[in-house]
Amino acid sequence: MTVKDIIQRGLYYEEFEADARYLHRPGRTATEADNVLFTTLTMNTQALHLDAAFADVQAPFHARLMNSMWTLSTMVGASVAQLTQGTLVAQLGLEGITFPHPLFAGDTLYTESVVADKRLSSSRPGQGVVRIAHTGRNQDEKIVATATRSVLVHCRPASSA
């Protein structure tokens, strides 16, 4: 029996569809450990992330908030396997980052992505620029983060066309 190898990868430039919504699953449940580790690794001393006693008396949430950079990083990270794993050349930038609703430890983050636009690179043959609008929602469908990421990706190799 001959076994065919199939490598998990993201999308080549030509495979990004403008009329598709990519749902990245599974979701990721945020934990207290995630919050404390990420916050301390990045030297963010914000008490709203680290100090439960302080956060508990702060209106309007009365609870520790997940570090918003953890939310952004996890949202982008959740898209990698489906969109850019092995096809990315470089991340070019992020724009339009918002956090309209807080995320708390115990919440589950679900991420989806839509292609905002794409074009072939004018200076890098065989590569294209794709702008991807990411949306993160909690388990109650409330939007907790949005961001648009610009990435440089490879075009499909001629040998696989």
Side-chain angles (χ1 to χ4, degrees):
M1 177 172 126
T2 303
V3 175
K4 178 180 174 183
D5 292 332
I6 299 174
I7 299 173
Q8 180 179 349
R9 64 164 173 81
L11 304 174
Y12 290 115
Y13 172 80
E14 297 84 353
E15 298 171 317
F16 280 92
E17 296 183 31
D19 59 349
R21 182 171 55 149
Y22 299 92
L23 304 175
H24 312 298
R25 300 295 183 264
R28 173 65 158 80
T29 301
T31 68
E32 297 257 352
D34 293 330
N35 202 26
V36 171
L37 181 61
F38 188 91
T39 298
T40 55
L41 281 173
T42 57
M43 299 181 67
N44 179 338
T45 58
Q46 175 53 252
L48 285 171
H49 304 311
L50 296 173
D51 186 333
F54 173 84
D56 286 349
V57 297
Q58 299 298 311
F61 303 114
H62 300 282
R64 281 190 286 174
L65 306 174
M66 287 299 292
N67 185 313
S68 58
M69 294 296 102
W70 181 91
T71 304
L72 176 64
S73 297
T74 303
M75 185 173 69
V76 170
S79 74
V80 168
Q82 191 174 13
L83 298 182
T84 59
Q85 180 66 46
T87 58
L88 181 78
V89 176
Q91 176 166 278
L92 303 176
L94 291 162
E95 61 184 294
I97 300 167
T98 67
F99 302 100
H101 186 78
L103 191 72
F104 301 99
D107 285 347
T108 300
L109 177 64
Y110 294 97
T111 303
E112 61 194 53
S113 301
V114 174
V115 175
D117 57 67
K118 69 178 199 177
R119 64 173 175 78
L120 287 170
S121 172
S122 59
S123 60
R124 295 178 163 265
Q127 300 173 358
V129 176
V130 183
R131 290 179 59 244
I132 305 167
H134 301 288
T135 301
R137 299 175 191 272
N138 69 11
Q139 68 282 354
D140 299 321
E141 296 288 323
K142 290 185 178 172
I143 296 175
V144 297
T146 63
T148 299
R149 180 169 66 126
S150 295
V151 294
L152 184 65
V153 296
H154 292 286
C155 291
R156 181 181 301 134
S159 60
S160 68

